[in-house]
């Protein structure tokens, strides 16, 4: 499918017009790769993060063996000791190849020139214009540098984190020592990350500041499992990998990415990092490109990160499998206990499965999928074009809007009372301005799943009209039962 620039233009305009996404520091001309979320965008993002946290951390699905999964959360600092980034490999290896054009002075990712419009003539791609003079590629580190403390010299250089994952690894021992988690378990974190992307583009898709939702799931590698009866049925590292790969794919489907624009792609052996056994990308066909783009990566990282941090920090980050040792110790002569219990399979660095998602890319995919143009009848029953964001109700920034049909006969007071009651439980919106059709249309455009109208009949029997955003079906519900009715549908 070719890129649909007209679709993107309409979506970007809607996001600006209705307060989902603004250009950062817009009154000063903006700044490339940075975005602000407006009043509705912030609700959308909050819903995504809350659902992720709820579904992955506070109420995760049971594991492949049907047992409850242990998950805990963290919120680490954005700036960490720079050694973290030496150990993780980011200082030496987190770089993209960059080319410069001597003509337009533009800088581009060498692997993306074929899909990057030339600043001199956007109908052509970089390098295709007669005047383009591209340099040889050179490597460019994507980490944002800063200084910590009063001195600005090499001793005070620090980095804004380019991912949240490393904060989890460096706290692995803290979590082990201060909680009662036992393998397998996961540590989750949501937070800002920063990458000095050479070419921030495609709206919020590739930004320089963005939010990630990451899990490091620590488990035993198959060979670390004991071979006796006690390990029968124990879930292997590859089974955990498959589990998370599927759980994360299904999560997007559950919240509305139902179309064939979502796919799960297993990386080929040539794409895998040297320490990784397997990796799958969850990808979405965004309208700005004719190729699928990554929403989330689910990677089997072996014990690479813990090995590196143990090496660079000098701190023992191994896990002691007390349960396995208790079950087995009688097999060994007591004089060997001390030595054996401190070796594999009883003491080891756990294997890690990492589902790593981006909040902003998820928000953009949900917006793209939700954007629909259809027709709805106006007050005279005539079909009129409408724009509607068909968000999953749990993602919708506003859950319900309440209107008085007219501003007289006590309708505004009844509507206001319903609104005040509902807003204690969900994001609600009150609107008494303009024709009722326009008020519906405004709510459709921001994806509000239900609109409640207080009308003449309310004055007689206490019922209100509830209109469904997608089917446009209307039903009457007594005003006392509106909250229960909505709760049933919103979950
Ligand atoms: P890409 O290849 O698109 O640059 P990546 O493979 O470098 O992405 P990861 O390092 O795996 O990305 O980061 C995990 C997730 O963080 C991505 O799947 C994406 O959702 C999000 N992410 C990464 N870089 C950006 C960015 N520049 N802007 C917005 N989100 C990002």
């Amino acid at each position: 499918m070719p890129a649909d620039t007209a679709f993107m233009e309409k979506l970007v305009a809607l996001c600006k017009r209705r307060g989902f996404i603004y250009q950062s520091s817009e009154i000063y001309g903006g700044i490339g790769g940075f975005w602000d979320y407006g009043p509705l965008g912030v609700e959308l993002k909050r819903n995504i993060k809350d659902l992720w946290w709820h579904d992955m951390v506070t109420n995760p699905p049971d594991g492949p063996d049907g047992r409850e999964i242990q998950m805990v959360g963290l919120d680490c600092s954005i700036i960490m000791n720079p050694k973290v980034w030496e150990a993780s490999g980011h200082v030496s290896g987190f770089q993209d190849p960059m080319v410069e054009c001597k003509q337009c002075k533009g800088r581009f990712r060498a692997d993306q020139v074929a899909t990057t419009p030339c600043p001199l003539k956007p109908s052509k791609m970089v390098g295709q214009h007669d005047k383009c003079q591209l340099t040889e590629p050179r490597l460019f580190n994507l980490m944002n540098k800063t200084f910590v403390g009063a001195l600005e010299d090499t001793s005070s250089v620090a980095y804004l984190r380019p991912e949240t994952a490393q904060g989890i690894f460096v706290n692995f021992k803290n979590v082990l020592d201060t909680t009662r988690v036992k393998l397998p378990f996961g540590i989750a974190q949501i937070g800002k990350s920063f990458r000095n992307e050479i070419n921030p583009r495609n709206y919020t898709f590739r930004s320089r500041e963005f939010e990630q939702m990451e899990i490091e799931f620590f488990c035993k590698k198959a060979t670390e499992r004991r071979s006796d009866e006690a390990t029968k049925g124990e879930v292997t590292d590859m089974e955990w990998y498959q589990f998370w790969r599927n759980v994360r794919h299904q999560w997007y489907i559950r919240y509305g990415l139902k179309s064939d624009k979502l796919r799960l792609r297993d990386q080929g052996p040539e794409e895998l990092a040297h320490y990784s056994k397997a990796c799958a990308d969850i990808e979405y066909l965004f309208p700005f490109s004719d190729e699928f783009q990554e929403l989330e990566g689910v990677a089997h990282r072996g014990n690479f990160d813990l090995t590196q941090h143990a090496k660079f920090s000098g701190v023992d980050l191994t896990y002691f499998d007390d349960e396995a040792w208790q079950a087995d110790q009688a097999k060994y002569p007591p004089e060997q206990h001390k030595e054996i219990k401190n070796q594999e399979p009883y003491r080891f660095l756990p294997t890690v499965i990492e589902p790593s998602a981006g909040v902003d890319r998820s928000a953009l995919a949900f917006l793209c999928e939700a954007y629909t143009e259809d027709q709805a009848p106006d007050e005279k029953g005539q079909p009129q074009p409408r724009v509607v964001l068909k968000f999953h109700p749990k993602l919708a920034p506003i859950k319900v809007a309440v209107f008085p049909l007219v501003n007289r006969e006590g309708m505004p007071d009844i509507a206001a009372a319903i609104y005040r009651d509902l807003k204690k439980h969900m994001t609600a919106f009150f609107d008494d301005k303009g024709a009722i059709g326009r008020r519906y249309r405004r709510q459709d455009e921001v994806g509000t799943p239900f609109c409640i109208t207080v009308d003449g009949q309310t004055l007689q029997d206490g019922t209100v009209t509830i209109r469904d955003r997608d089917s446009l079906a209307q039903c009457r519900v007594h005003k006392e039962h509106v909250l229960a009715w909505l709760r049933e549908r919103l979950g």
Side-chain angles (χ1 to χ4, degrees):
M1 204 204 300
D4 189 347
T5 42
F7 180 98
M8 270 324 279
E9 276 164 23
K10 284 191 276 189
L11 183 72
V12 170
L14 172 74
C15 286
K16 169 79 198 289
R17 191 170 71 245
R18 299 308 312 271
F20 280 92
I21 301 172
Y22 310 126
Q23 205 184 0
S24 165
S25 19
E26 191 179 335
I27 60 168
Y28 290 99
I31 169 167
F34 296 89
W35 299 93
D36 294 340
Y37 286 81
L40 292 181
V42 80
E43 295 292 340
L44 172 64
K45 251 176 77 157
R46 184 185 293 272
N47 291 340
I48 293 171
K49 290 186 280 186
D50 285 351
L51 287 171
W52 185 89
W53 196 265
H54 173 266
D55 298 343
M56 301 297 129
V57 185
T58 50
N59 184 34
D62 288 342
D65 52 359
R67 290 164 72 165
E68 200 181 342
I69 294 184
Q70 306 167 83
M71 295 290 294
V72 294
L74 276 182
D75 185 10
C76 307
S77 64
I78 286 172
I79 296 179
M80 294 190 270
N81 188 313
K83 285 205 181 113
V84 169
W85 307 110
E86 284 172 38
S88 68
H90 283 82
V91 170
S92 58
F94 193 53
Q95 40 203 15
D96 280 339
M98 177 178 79
V99 293
E100 284 175 71
C101 177
K102 288 184 181 158
Q103 184 69 33
C104 72
K105 310 283 182 240
R107 292 176 171 186
F108 312 98
R109 248 174 80 165
D111 55 344
Q112 289 177 352
V113 285
T115 54
T116 308
C118 171
L120 296 175
K121 194 170 186 196
S123 59
K124 289 188 183 281
M125 295 298 141
V126 170
Q128 291 176 353
H129 195 284
D130 302 341
K131 291 187 178 154
C132 292
Q133 288 181 46
L134 299 184
T135 60
E136 284 299 307
R138 66 184 168 92
L139 290 172
F140 174 81
N141 193 296
L142 299 184
M143 276 201 297
N144 273 99
K145 265 190 199 165
T146 185
F147 298 97
V148 171
L151 280 179
E152 289 198 4
D153 62 15
T154 47
S155 68
S156 61
V157 166
Y159 303 96
L160 305 190
R161 67 180 175 203
E163 59 175 38
T164 61
Q166 298 305 322
I168 298 179
F169 293 122
V170 300
N171 276 295
F172 174 69
K173 191 170 153 42
N174 275 338
V175 172
L176 273 188
D177 292 348
T178 56
T179 70
R180 295 168 72 177
V181 287
K182 287 201 168 72
L183 286 192
F185 70 90
I187 307 180
Q189 171 161 224
I190 299 180
K192 290 261 182 173
S193 292
F194 300 80
R195 296 184 187 179
N196 197 7
E197 296 279 358
I198 298 168
N199 263 149
R201 58 182 190 159
N202 295 331
Y203 203 23
T204 55
F205 178 83
R206 190 170 298 287
S207 310
R208 288 181 167 134
E209 175 178 340
F210 52 95
E211 270 185 290
Q212 291 184 307
M213 309 183 281
E214 296 195 293
I215 297 170
E216 305 305 325
F217 192 78
F218 301 92
C219 59
K220 295 185 209 173
K221 196 171 68 178
T223 52
E224 278 151 4
R225 299 157 72 220
R226 296 157 298 137
S227 53
D228 60 33
E229 278 297 306
T231 58
K232 271 214 179 132
E234 209 171 71
V235 182
T236 66
D237 53 331
M238 281 310 281
E239 285 162 352
W240 278 119
Y241 164 72
Q242 291 296 342
F243 169 80
W244 282 110
R245 178 184 167 280
N246 297 334
V247 163
R248 292 304 307 145
H249 181 219
Q250 288 303 316
W251 189 82
Y252 292 98
I253 295 172
R254 178 173 356 154
Y255 293 115
L257 299 191
K258 293 202 168 84
S259 67
D260 52 6
K261 292 185 190 132
L262 183 76
R263 76 171 187 194
L264 183 58
R265 184 182 69 85
D266 290 308
Q267 289 192 2
E270 70 294 346
E271 290 176 87
L272 295 180
H274 65 91
Y275 48 78
S276 178
K277 258 203 221 170
C279 188
D281 286 344
I282 301 167
E283 299 180 327
Y284 189 72
L285 190 60
F286 286 95
F288 53 72
S289 170
D290 55 4
E291 283 174 18
F292 279 83
Q293 310 280 339
E294 178 181 327
L295 274 185
E296 168 163 353
V298 182
H300 183 303
R301 296 184 64 85
N303 58 20
F304 174 76
D305 306 272
L306 290 177
T307 304
Q308 289 295 102
H309 288 302
K311 197 165 113 192
F312 277 69
S313 67
V315 175
D316 180 4
L317 298 179
T318 52
Y319 176 85
F320 176 60
D321 190 348
D322 192 37
E323 229 169 70
W325 173 246
Q326 295 301 336
D328 285 4
Q329 60 173 326
K331 290 184 195 160
Y332 306 104
E335 63 278 14
Q336 287 179 11
H337 279 196
K338 207 170 163 200
E339 195 191 335
I340 291 176
K341 75 186 278 197
N342 281 314
Q343 294 173 1
E344 285 188 18
Y346 306 110
R347 183 173 283 285
F348 54 90
L349 287 171
T351 292
V352 169
I353 312 299
E354 177 191 78
S356 169
V359 182
D360 310 78
R361 287 190 187 174
S362 300
L364 187 55
F366 286 125
L367 276 163
C368 290
E369 184 94 359
Y371 184 98
T372 312
E373 290 174 356
D374 63 8
Q375 296 208 320
D378 63 12
E379 278 102 70
K380 294 180 196 120
Q382 294 303 312
Q384 298 293 340
R386 74 163 181 165
V387 170
V388 50
L389 290 181
K390 293 192 172 177
F391 284 132
H392 185 287
K394 285 196 190 278
L395 288 176
I398 300 170
K399 309 294 183 212
V400 61
V402 188
F403 313 141
L405 179 64
V406 288
N407 282 322
R408 53 184 144 73
E409 295 166 41
M411 289 182 209
D413 289 344
I414 300 171
I418 295 173
Y419 158 72
R420 275 198 301 273
D421 189 30
L422 291 178
K423 78 171 181 165
K424 293 179 200 147
H425 307 277
M426 62 191 75
T427 44
F429 188 81
F430 178 81
D431 191 359
D432 58 359
K433 305 270 177 323
I436 191 80
R438 281 200 55 204
R439 283 183 259 165
Y440 281 138
R441 218 68 87 236
R442 283 181 60 77
Q443 293 307 315
D444 289 343
E445 219 184 30
V446 298
T448 306
F450 301 108
C451 290
I452 295 177
T453 303
V454 170
D455 50 25
Q457 202 177 322
T458 316
L459 307 178
Q460 290 162 21
D461 63 9
T463 63
V464 295
T465 303
I466 306 187
R467 169 193 180 263
D468 180 278
R469 174 197 69 197
D470 298 343
S471 67
L472 299 172
Q474 301 199 356
C475 63
R476 294 205 72 88
V477 175
H478 195 277
K479 61 184 168 123
E480 301 300 330
H481 302 148
V482 163
L483 177 60
W485 189 97
L486 287 170
R487 278 195 159 150
E488 204 176 297
R489 277 139 192 100
L490 294 168

